[in-house]
Amino acid sequence: MGFNASLTYSGSTTRYPTMMSAGHCAKADQVYGMRSILIGRWWFKDLSYDWALAGVTNTAYWMPGPWISLHDGNDGYMVVRGSQQRPIGSSVCKSGWTTKITCGVIKARNETVFKEDVQRWVYGVTRNTTCTEPGDSGGPTYSADGQAQGIVSTAYTTRGLCEGKFGRENRSWYVEVSLIQGYTGARVMTAN
């Protein structure tokens, strides 16, 4: 998962807990947590821009909050402070299931990339140099001061390993949080 968020829908004034992830991760209607416990349902997804939102329906097993997992074995986390986009040349880090925490630099915005694994073009993604490998998709990309930047989408890899492991610059892409928030009205949960 990427970021915990909230969203008002169906004419309600209540903000409901949601989760942001990659569109290609939303392959089933239902979302399961540990031990196959149903925790929510996908209801918004756009595969061409590779983002998805899931509604949290079971907060007994999923406690949404402004956190990013540090994958440190101690349930360590970083607090999300906001969603201010950083300029090209800024440092960012990503949290992923496969490579855990890796950091790099924002290189370009609004690129179009062909995703080999799902055989489709993805539009409007931001290129960066974090080490990203299969299984990291849908994770959060963020700045050192806790600003949500985006959701991990794809990367160029060699035999499933990031290019940096072969002495080349990593090429990874994320969907900017601002695009998802602007399109859906969802808001990343923050500590502020």
Side-chain angles (χ1 to χ4, degrees):
M1 284 300 159
F3 293 101
N4 290 317
S6 64
L7 178 65
T8 300
Y9 60 93
S10 301
S12 171
T13 57
T14 303
R15 293 198 73 79
Y16 293 94
T18 62
M19 296 176 283
M20 290 183 180
S21 191
H24 72 273
C25 293
K27 294 180 179 177
D29 289 335
Q30 298 177 333
V31 180
Y32 292 89
M34 294 172 57
R35 299 183 302 265
S36 300
I37 296 168
L38 179 65
I39 59 173
R41 291 188 176 279
W42 298 110
W43 82 86
F44 285 137
K45 59 183 170 182
D46 187 329
L47 297 178
S48 293
Y49 289 87
D50 204 19
W51 60 263
L53 291 181
V56 177
T57 56
N58 188 342
T59 55
Y61 294 99
W62 185 271
M63 182 66 76
W67 309 300
I68 297 168
S69 174
L70 295 178
H71 297 285
D72 62 3
N74 297 313
D75 288 333
Y77 62 90
M78 179 176 187
V79 175
V80 179
R81 304 275 179 206
S83 58
Q84 184 181 39
Q85 294 297 151
R86 297 297 185 232
I88 292 171
S90 298
S91 297
V92 290
C93 296
K94 71 113 212 19
S95 176
W97 183 257
T98 304
T99 60
K100 312 307 181 205
I101 305 297
T102 64
C103 299
V105 174
I106 299 171
K107 290 292 192 169
R109 285 201 155 85
N110 201 29
E111 292 195 332
T112 300
V113 180
F114 187 73
K115 283 184 59 60
E116 294 282 343
D117 55 339
V118 293
Q119 292 293 297
R120 70 180 304 126
W121 291 96
V122 175
Y123 304 98
V125 286
T126 297
R127 181 165 39 99
N128 65 96
T129 60
T130 60
C131 175
T132 301
E133 296 176 356
D136 289 332
S137 295
T141 303
Y142 56 93
S143 63
D145 61 349
Q147 297 295 313
Q149 298 301 296
I151 303 295
V152 175
S153 175
T154 191
Y156 284 158
T157 63
T158 301
R159 298 188 305 276
L161 301 174
C162 63
E163 297 286 272
K165 294 179 179 177
F166 298 93
R168 299 183 289 270
E169 182 174 87
N170 292 322
R171 288 178 292 166
S172 305
W173 288 267
Y174 62 82
V175 180
E176 291 192 356
V177 163
S178 59
L179 183 146
I180 303 168
Q181 292 185 139
Y183 188 81
T184 66
R187 293 293 174 260
V188 170
M189 288 185 179
T190 66
N192 299 335

